[in-house]
Amino acid sequence: MAPIKRKNGAVTDASDASKKAPTNPEHAAKRQKKSQENEEKLARPTQASTLSVLREEVPAFPRGGASVLTPLEYKQIQIQATKDVLFEQNTGRKASKHGPQDEESGIEEDDQSDAPPATSKRKPRSKGQKGKQVRVVEELGIRIEGLSYKRLVPGSIVLGQISQINRHDIALALPNNLTGYIPLTAISDKLTKTIETLVEQEEEGDEAAVDPAKEQNVDLKSFFTIGQYLRAHVTSTHDDTASGGKGKKRIELSINPQIVNAGLKKADMVVSSMVQATVTSVEDHGLIMDLGLDDANVRGFMSSKEVGHDVDHTSIEEGTVLLCLVTGLSSNGKIIKLSADRQRAGNIKKSNFLTDAPSIYSFLPGTAVEILVAEVSSSGIAGKVMGLLNVTADLIHSGDAASGKDLEKRYTIGSKVKGRIICTFPNADVKKLGVSFLDHVMALSSCMPTLTKGDDGGTPTQALPISTIINEARVVKVEPGIGLLLDVGVKGVRGFVHISRVADGKTETLSESIGPYKVGSVHQARIIGYNPMDGLFLVSLEQKIINEPFLRIEDVQVGRIVKGKIEKLIVNATGVGGVLVNLAADITGLVPEMHLADIHLQHPEKKFREGLSVTARVLSVDLEKRQIRMTLKKTLVNTDAAVWSSYGELAAGMQAPGTLVSILSSGAVVQFYGSVRGFLPVSEMSESYIQDPKQHFRTGQVVSVHIVSVDPVERRMIVSCKDPSVFSAAQQKALKELSPGAAVTGTVSEKTTDELIIELEGSRLKAGLLIEQLADGSAQRCLSAAKKIRVDQTLRDLVVMSKNESKRLIRLTCKPSLVKAAKSGQLLINFEDIVQGAEVIGFVKNVTLTGVFVQFGGELTGLLLKAHMPDHAVRLPDFGMRRGQTISAKILSVDHGQQRFLLTLKDPPATATAPTKGRDNASVSNRAVSNAADEVSTSIDDFTLGKLTKAKIISIKETQLNVQLADGVQGRVDVSEIFDSWDDIKDRKHPLQIFHPKQVIPVRILGVHDARNHRFLPITHSGKAPVFELSAKRQDRTPADPDVLTLDKVQVGSTWIVFVNNVADDCLWVNLSPNVRGRIRAMDVSDDVSRLTNLAKNFPVGSALRARVLNVDAVQNRLDLSARSGNAASPVTLNDLSKGTVLPGRVTKVTERHVMIQLSDTISAPVHLVDLADDYSTANPTVYSKNQTVRVCITDLDIPNKKITLSTRPSKVLSSSLPVQDPEITSITQLKVNDVVRGFIKNVADNGLFVTLASNVTAFTRISDLSDSFIQDWKSSFHVDQLVKGKIIAVDALLNHVQMSLKQSVLDKNYKAPLTFAGIKVGEVVTGKVRKVEDFGVFIVVDGSANVSGLCHRSEVADQRVADVRKLFVEGDAVKAKVLKIDIDQRRISFGLKASYFETEGDGEDGSDDEGDDGMDGVELARQNGDGDESMEDEGVDLENVRDIDTSSDHDDAEDRNRVENEGTTAKNGNTTGEVQGLSTGGFDWSGGTLDQDKTDVQSETDGEISVPKKKKRRIAEIKVDRTGELDANGPQSVADFERLLLGQPDSSYLWLSYMAFQLQLSEVAKARDIAERALQTINIREDAEKMNVWVGLLNLENTYGSDELVEEVFKRACQYNDAQEIHERLISIYIQSGKNEKADDLFQSAVKKFSQDPKVWLNYATFLFDTLSASDRARDLLPRGMQSLPQFNHLDLTNKFAQLEFRSPNGDAERGRTIFEGLLSTFPKRLDLWNVLLDLEIKQGNKEQVRRLFARVTSGKLKSRKAKFFFKRWLEFEEAEGDGKHVGHVKAKAAEYVRQQEAEKTQE
């Protein structure tokens, strides 16, 4: 505050107490209040003197302008007054009145005695008096400075403007780019009590934690408005820089009047002062305000007229805080009159500024004052208020920044100006106040006046939104050390750049005249904010700020694709719950777990890591919670569909993808963008029936839906997954025309337990037929009928009960009673058909406790109350009724207003005992009427035939007026009975719009209306409550009897006024009278063909036409009319047609080759492709739709053969002057040789093409005339209806033969044949393009050639040695090459690229030949026939050759491994597959292991020779391990590479599987799955092995990335198309490799049951149990099971293999194996193979003695010499390797003994 005394002599500064006070503002207020009371008691006697001093201190200006004081006296008085104020502030005592020297010493003594030493900051004074005065002036000089964060301390009071209203606080814009926040509990005591009450109520009802804001009950936006000015008290400031990094500064404020008005007394409430008050009560005439004063009796009152312009005071909430202007006091002084009208408070030119101040507290922020300017500088203005109160205005609030004018020119020293106090400076050395001279602050307006009055309009942020980048911002002023003022292009508003935001680095100083930021320089800048108090844009010139994608969360748009880096993975109890992605500085978005990928990731942490760059799409932005939700699903990120972020922008039929967030039994909730959600009913999920949506969908799945209906007001939307294109336009039209009560025929397409799905005949619409609608009887009869119905059975006599066009839902019935009622016209369909007392037939829709709802046609429902049922039915459960039961009832009453009616099952009470007279009287009373429209009729019998009466219109329909003759007496006036002449009809489309409800019109009774048969009956047929047929024509009002029109009175040729009753596909049904109906064919409706395209739109129901009668058939009740002018009518026969006639026709059929046009009921003709358009390129029959009306021209007419040729060429049907690109050919004589024509291929034959040139002219093209180049499969290049261009090369008019050529050389005179291999010469220099770059050289294709290419070896690339060719060339480079060598036999060309070849052509050829001999000679141009890849047969288990299971198995494996080389690089197709590694599938290796490409052999790469070694199938007894899970990223790097390779090798499973591996690397699992399906459809059916490899790869894919259900589905399909046993084995090996041993075990158990006759299955299962599961007991149990299942001859082999497993398995028992072998040898002692196997096993075991015993046993038996020699030789080899000389000698002795025995036996023989 400024140095002024308070009232009663109190200390002026309120900030000293705040320095010592605690941070709690309430404690500070109490402590300050206490101190004020004490001071007031001590200072009471001096009150008058203080006021007199204030008055005396006002400087006087005597006449003539001279001051009464000299300058020296003025300065001494000023210094003395300042010292007095300082003394009072520091000591709390009043200064004594001494001379200058005594007062100085007095202050010094008091300071030394009372002030703490630590706080004394005074400097030593000089001894001289003059020096003292100079030093005091320096210390007490007013420093012009603005408000800053450092100067804003707790206790400061500041004026602010509301810039943002949040849920829990209010953002208040403060001067000098500061922003403070007002918590919810620092607003007012009234509002705080309201919140506390709500919290207590919530705690009583629920013990859970409660949000103290209670935003659903307390909305701050209803208390405050943006732009409102408030006075705030600073309660605290927080600076978190100590926590590390750049901390955020936060200013906490309070606007509670008790705090901001602390110190105010009633006497301070002077007129024109500003006070802050709280609304405590809202009364009829105004508001009761709480001022926060200590005196509770003093209150404020604000009249309803003082609230503000266009503000209703009753809408102001209690607890609202307002900054008010004091306008006066009541007579007793206890009521302060206030005003919150900002227009009044802001008008301070003549009044409303403070002129009298009882104390310092009157000068609070917000108060307007008059200021005497004392100093004007470039940094601002300093002045005084009332002579002594110092005020300053900085550069911004002095108006310099906004106006750009020099302050010294605007303000002069000594002048008086108006300003508004905006802040206090409690810590300033010289106490002062901050003021503002800005126009909008002084006017308390929310925006700059120049914007509201100027051309820009609106607020500054609307003219220039925050975050906008300005390309040309001009510097208009430079403040060194502070910043820059810029012209940002908005009138009246400048931009301010702080010096810290001038550049990315640190800027030391700024200069106006030099440097990059001098005045007039232009820079690129970005708006980072706007301060409404300063009226300035906050701007940054930092390049990093300009490059930021977003500055605020408000800049992030919903649906936008953004790029960011993963900041953190959120881990919860279930794993990774989401990912935080950093988009910009301090802007982070959350990707929930369900939006991480299109599929559910088992281990998201493996795919996402911190720092990884990702591309996401913004799903929603919550500005209140400051949250951003995004998605990483590629389906949503990469879609081009529109972003659905607002219900108001949506319409039915729009299509876009959405995410399932909740799946219910009745449907699913689909989330889009923002808060837009839609409900997906279960009926709209699929075309087929879905019982449980959770079985088909999962949460987080992305589905493509289209909108069925949307309600923006209710924020509801229904979506559908059904393909909208499936429901064609014809079906939509058929559904629209289908009416309830119509009889249809359909075929059963699907059958469920509750319903039959019927496909209607003709339209192919789907309809539902409930089981309960099959029969009239009991439920059992309905079920019996359903059992007899089968799928594809045709059902007749079906009736449409209801339809829902939005849901495309049709309900049918087959109940005989309802079908009969529909055929007889007695089925209720419309509410207008309801007649009181009539008997109707329907079915039970629902049964409630109070009654039964009965449904009729068109979803018309009546209520049968419990009171209107028979007594016996009331006592039964559900009244003895069930849903769907047929019921016949009478209509009891009808409520036309509510569209309701009641039914009854009771008969009217009998009155048999009543006399006849009584019955007559009752009958008369029942037929009495009231409130007759003619005010004359009293009984229904008064309404007789032909009577002229009056009727009141109840409702207006398209074709009739529903009227009321009296209460309960209904009638109708048909539209045909209203108008007398054509001129009377003003609106031809809506004739009845001239009437309005409740209008009374004169009518004449014609009869009684029969709604069932669409006719009216005589009066004698009237029932209890008849509906009268009336006429409102003027001619019928004559007394004569009415002449009723009948069909037999209609004459051919007569003209009538008709009214459309119904619109069909091919005709209009019209009414001549209420009971005469006719038909107008679509072609006869109008002469304007354009109106015939949409009959329903151009001729709606009820529209009027003038028609002429064409035909009358009274017997068939048929009437044909025409609405065309004159005698123009549709042709009846061919004789009525003539060539060249243009007439309309109706499209009846559309194919790809022609359009069928119907000219009349008996005449139809096609329009061929050549007759559709003048430009064949635009000829497209599919642009036409069925029932479309088109204009056609008859180009040819063959009456004897009944053939008509039609044309829709614009030159024929519109104007002959239109341009024609393809002239019409009417005969073969028009064609001449060398004519260039176009036509459509009619047929692709074996010997050539037949091309249609006209409807009767066909040309033939031989195979040799198709193309200049050879086409191997020419048929695949042409197809029927293809447009081709050719030249006529022969015409034979007699034979009607035309021959044409499609060769480019024939068509183009300048055609140059492409260069061929034969045209290439050695030494020729050619140009070409690099087709492929390899390590050994560059492949070049010659420009302008027929794909002629060759190789430039790397030794011929340059004159110097080239280490890496890839660094010199890339694919597509243009090169000039020299032909070095041509190998005609191999069709190879060698090129040279050396520069020396083009300087001296003789050099280098020999060298190239040498290189060609050593390395690559060229490249093969054409593949040799017969070369190709042959897949190896899969390795299996060989049960016959038991030797392969012993020690040599590893060696055999290496020998048996086939190597098939990939086809080398060829010049013809260039198919060079990269090393794309993939999956190994048990014999087929995705990584090329089976193919074994040898990269080191350059010759094999270049020669293109293919080695295909063939080998017999070989099986090894071990489990095949499938290695389809190993993926690698090498090889082709794009989808285009794979697609190109697959064009050349479509049957290569290696390429397909590599393609799958490539997609899996990109996490495109769905695409990899689709590629597998493509491969299965593309690979030739004869390539079983290739297909098997793809099946195995697909199984591996689903096992790794899919679910168990997907694996099972693929497995079942694979078993259907392949050997089921092999598929079982492959999937088992996949499970084993992936560690899913339990699944492998389950599948093995299934395999041994299905394939029990194969020993291999038992052996593989045993091996799995032994080696993998270590379940040897289970494996041993398999042997007896296998013996029981296998034939006898397999027992020995199986037992042998099981015994071997005991030896070879680490979990086996060798002793058990020996036992098994001993049993076998005892049974089969002569099976030497068993001995051999056992010997091998024992040798592996290492038991030498056991081996010797076995050798001794086997050699001691009777063996043939050859076998004996084998065993003795093997025994000897064993002993030589493992034994010693003794054992070797023993073996030799045994062998010699065996030889002797053999010789002895021979001798004996």
Side-chain angles (χ1 to χ4, degrees), residues 569-579 592-593 596 603-606 608:
L569 272 68
I570 301 176
V571 181
N572 52 26
T574 60
V576 177
V579 171
E593 187 270 337
L596 291 178
H603 302 287
E605 64 276 3
K606 294 183 179 179
F608 302 104

Side-chain angles (χ1 to χ4, degrees), residues 922-996:
S923 176
V924 171
S925 63
N926 290 338
R927 300 179 68 83
V929 297
S930 60
N931 297 326
D934 58 1
E935 300 179 355
V936 175
S937 302
T938 59
S939 173
I940 197 172
D941 296 328
D942 294 338
F943 301 111
T944 59
L945 177 65
K947 179 180 179 179
L948 293 173
T949 182
K950 293 184 178 179
K952 183 170 66 174
I953 298 176
I954 302 301
S955 62
I956 301 172
K957 303 299 180 183
E958 290 84 1
T959 60
Q960 68 182 29
L961 298 176
N962 293 327
V963 299
Q964 191 177 49
L965 299 176
D967 289 349
V969 181
Q970 310 295 329
R972 67 181 290 271
V973 182
D974 191 87
V975 65
S976 61
E977 293 295 333
I978 295 178
F979 303 98
D980 293 286
S981 64
W982 179 255
D983 296 332
D984 293 340
I985 306 174
K986 304 303 180 184
D987 187 350
R988 307 290 163 75
K989 281 191 176 183
H990 307 284
L992 298 182
Q993 282 190 349
I994 60 176
F995 299 97
H996 57 84

Side-chain angles (χ1 to χ4, degrees), residues 1642-1712:
D1642 296 338
L1643 195 57
F1644 257 127
Q1645 294 181 18
S1646 175
V1648 295
K1649 293 179 182 178
K1650 293 182 179 180
F1651 316 108
S1652 59
Q1653 299 299 312
D1654 191 349
K1656 180 177 64 175
V1657 178
W1658 297 99
L1659 180 60
N1660 290 342
Y1661 191 13
T1663 306
F1664 170 77
L1665 293 175
F1666 266 113
D1667 298 339
T1668 306
L1669 296 186
S1670 301
S1672 55
D1673 293 334
R1674 290 181 56 194
R1676 296 181 183 113
D1677 294 337
L1678 290 178
L1679 181 58
R1681 289 177 55 193
M1683 301 278 283
Q1684 294 176 0
S1685 301
L1686 294 172
Q1688 185 72 26
F1689 63 88
N1690 286 329
H1691 290 183
L1692 174 60
D1693 213 1
L1694 184 65
T1695 307
N1696 179 13
K1697 299 297 174 60
F1698 270 74
Q1700 293 179 37
L1701 283 175
E1702 295 287 351
F1703 280 93
R1704 302 182 62 181
S1705 175
N1707 300 305
D1709 186 358
E1711 194 60 35
R1712 182 184 291 270

Side-chain angles (χ1 to χ4, degrees), residues 24-26 29 157-158 170 172 181-193 224 230-235 252-264 275-280 290-293 319-323 364:
N24 191 337
E26 295 182 1
I157 301 178
V158 63
I170 300 172
L172 198 67
Y181 294 91
I182 307 167
L184 193 65
T185 55
I187 295 175
S188 64
D189 293 340
K190 182 75 175 178
L191 185 59
T192 304
K193 290 180 180 178
F224 300 94
L230 292 172
R231 180 187 299 158
H233 181 275
V234 179
T235 59
E252 295 285 346
L253 304 174
S254 174
I255 58 173
N256 194 328
Q258 291 188 353
I259 299 177
V260 297
N261 296 337
L264 279 176
V275 64
Q276 197 146 290
T278 303
V279 178
T280 58
D290 180 15
L291 304 177
L293 304 181
T320 303
V321 177
L322 300 173
L323 183 62
L364 291 177

Side-chain angles (χ1 to χ4, degrees), residues 62 66 93 141 253 261 283 355 394 973 1091 1211 1501:
R93 298 194 300 274
L253 304 174
N261 296 337
E283 306 298 337
T355 58
D394 60 3
V973 182
R1091 301 186 65 192
S1211 60
E1501 285 282 343

Side-chain angles (χ1 to χ4, degrees), residues 1768 1782-1796:
F1768 278 114
K1782 178 181 178 182
H1783 291 93
V1784 171
H1786 177 70
V1787 174
K1788 292 180 179 180
K1790 280 281 188 180
E1793 181 180 359
Y1794 173 81
V1795 173
R1796 289 194 299 270

Side-chain angles (χ1 to χ4, degrees), residues 1730-1762:
L1730 295 178
W1731 291 98
N1732 197 21
V1733 170
L1734 182 57
L1735 281 170
D1736 292 336
L1737 296 173
E1738 291 291 355
I1739 292 173
K1740 278 189 176 182
Q1741 288 292 321
N1743 193 338
K1744 300 178 182 179
E1745 293 301 320
Q1746 184 68 21
V1747 173
R1748 293 187 179 105
R1749 284 195 294 270
L1750 277 177
F1751 275 117
R1753 288 176 59 191
V1754 70
T1755 55
S1756 61
K1758 294 183 178 180
L1759 298 174
K1760 293 183 179 180
S1761 58
R1762 186 172 59 86

Side-chain angles (χ1 to χ4, degrees), residues 1307-1507:
L1307 290 172
D1308 189 1
K1309 296 180 180 179
N1310 299 323
Y1311 175 79
K1312 183 179 179 180
L1315 188 65
T1316 61
F1317 181 80
I1320 302 294
K1321 306 298 181 184
V1322 175
E1324 184 179 359
V1325 177
V1326 297
T1327 61
K1329 298 289 190 301
V1330 175
R1331 191 182 66 186
K1332 195 167 186 64
V1333 182
E1334 296 290 350
D1335 294 335
F1336 48 81
V1338 179
F1339 290 96
I1340 302 171
V1341 59
V1342 180
D1343 291 340
S1345 66
N1347 201 22
V1348 176
S1349 62
L1351 175 71
C1352 175
H1353 196 265
R1354 67 180 179 184
S1355 60
E1356 298 295 334
V1357 170
D1359 293 314
Q1360 296 80 19
R1361 185 178 181 274
V1362 178
D1364 189 357
V1365 183
R1366 299 179 187 272
K1367 293 183 179 179
L1368 299 179
F1369 297 98
V1370 295
E1371 294 183 11
D1373 286 352
V1375 295
K1376 182 169 70 172
K1378 184 174 183 179
V1379 180
L1380 302 180
K1381 183 180 179 183
I1382 298 176
D1383 188 343
I1384 299 177
D1385 297 333
Q1386 298 289 338
R1387 296 183 64 81
R1388 295 175 180 173
I1389 303 174
S1390 294
F1391 290 113
L1393 297 177
K1394 291 181 179 179
S1396 57
Y1397 290 153
F1398 307 106
E1399 296 173 359
T1400 57
E1401 295 192 2
D1403 299 335
E1405 287 189 13
D1406 297 337
S1408 67
D1409 292 341
D1410 296 338
E1411 292 294 340
D1413 295 337
D1414 296 337
M1416 173 66 71
D1417 291 341
V1419 66
E1420 183 178 349
L1421 285 173
R1423 179 186 295 178
Q1424 300 297 326
N1425 294 332
D1427 293 347
D1429 293 338
E1430 289 186 8
S1431 286
M1432 268 299 301
E1433 293 292 336
D1434 298 334
E1435 295 179 356
V1437 179
D1438 188 359
L1439 298 178
E1440 300 296 334
N1441 190 355
V1442 295
R1443 288 190 59 186
D1444 292 339
I1445 308 179
D1446 58 16
T1447 56
S1448 62
S1449 59
D1450 296 337
H1451 177 70
D1452 293 338
D1453 289 344
E1455 289 183 348
D1456 293 341
R1457 192 167 295 137
N1458 275 334
R1459 302 181 181 273
V1460 180
E1461 294 183 354
N1462 243 0
E1463 182 180 1
T1465 305
T1466 64
K1468 179 179 179 179
N1469 50 26
N1471 290 337
T1472 309
T1473 60
E1475 288 297 307
V1476 181
Q1477 297 184 2
L1479 304 171
S1480 171
T1481 59
F1484 182 85
D1485 190 359
W1486 285 20
S1487 62
T1490 357
L1491 304 178
D1492 196 14
Q1493 297 181 351
D1494 189 359
K1495 293 185 178 180
T1496 60
D1497 188 0
V1498 178
Q1499 184 65 34
S1500 64
E1501 285 282 343
T1502 57
D1503 289 346
E1505 296 175 358
I1506 304 172
S1507 175

